[in-house]
Amino acid sequence: MSNQKFKVKFGLEVGDAATTIDATTGDIVTTGDITIGGNTIKSSGGNPALQLNGGDVTAEGNLYVNGILTVTSNTIKSSTLTALTLAGSSVTAANNLTVTSNLVLKGLTSGTVTVHSPVVAGVQVYTLPTAQ
């Protein structure tokens, strides 16, 4: 029996139901922590989806956040270079900030917007109208 697979037909409860495997959906539910010994979480196709290395997590494909993304280190990096720096309500781009569609300013109803452009000689300053 040691060389055969262990099959469960109607689900499995382990340790006073601290961990269960649903026989219909395959969902695993646990009330404790999950430890990944191999440091890789794979997709259903067998390809690595998440790589774990100490406190670092690497998403092998695109990472989608359906909700709020909270950044606690104040920087967003592209490879090894800082791309954006967050400070309170300010965002500073390290290099060019490219907008491929419309740029919408929300919350700022008056003040100035400064645009530095290599295409247009000099600096363009736009004054936003005072809120009514």
Side-chain angles (χ1 to χ4, degrees):
M1 177 146 178
S2 63
N3 292 331
Q4 296 179 355
K5 292 183 179 180
F6 182 75
K7 294 184 180 184
V8 178
K9 187 173 183 180
F10 298 109
L12 176 67
E13 292 184 0
V14 179
D16 295 329
T19 302
T20 59
I21 301 173
D22 187 287
T24 304
T25 63
D27 291 348
I28 300 172
V29 178
T30 183
T31 57
D33 295 335
I34 297 175
T35 301
I36 309 295
N39 294 333
T40 301
I41 298 173
K42 296 181 179 181
S43 69
S44 59
N47 297 319
L50 295 175
Q51 297 286 336
L52 310 174
N53 184 5
D56 296 333
V57 177
T58 302
E60 295 298 326
N62 296 323
L63 176 64
Y64 297 96
V65 176
N66 189 10
I68 296 172
L69 173 63
T70 302
V71 179
T72 58
S73 69
N74 294 345
T75 58
I76 298 174
K77 294 188 175 192
S78 170
S79 183
T80 58
L81 302 174
T82 299
L84 297 174
T85 302
L86 310 174
S89 61
S90 299
V91 177
T92 303
N95 286 304
N96 296 328
L97 176 62
T98 302
V99 179
T100 58
S101 186
N102 296 323
L103 175 62
V104 178
L105 303 175
K106 289 188 176 183
L108 182 63
T109 56
S110 65
T112 59
V113 176
T114 305
V115 178
H116 298 266
S117 173
V119 177
V120 179
V123 175
Q124 301 293 316
V125 177
Y126 300 95
T127 302
L128 300 177
T130 305
Q132 301 290 326

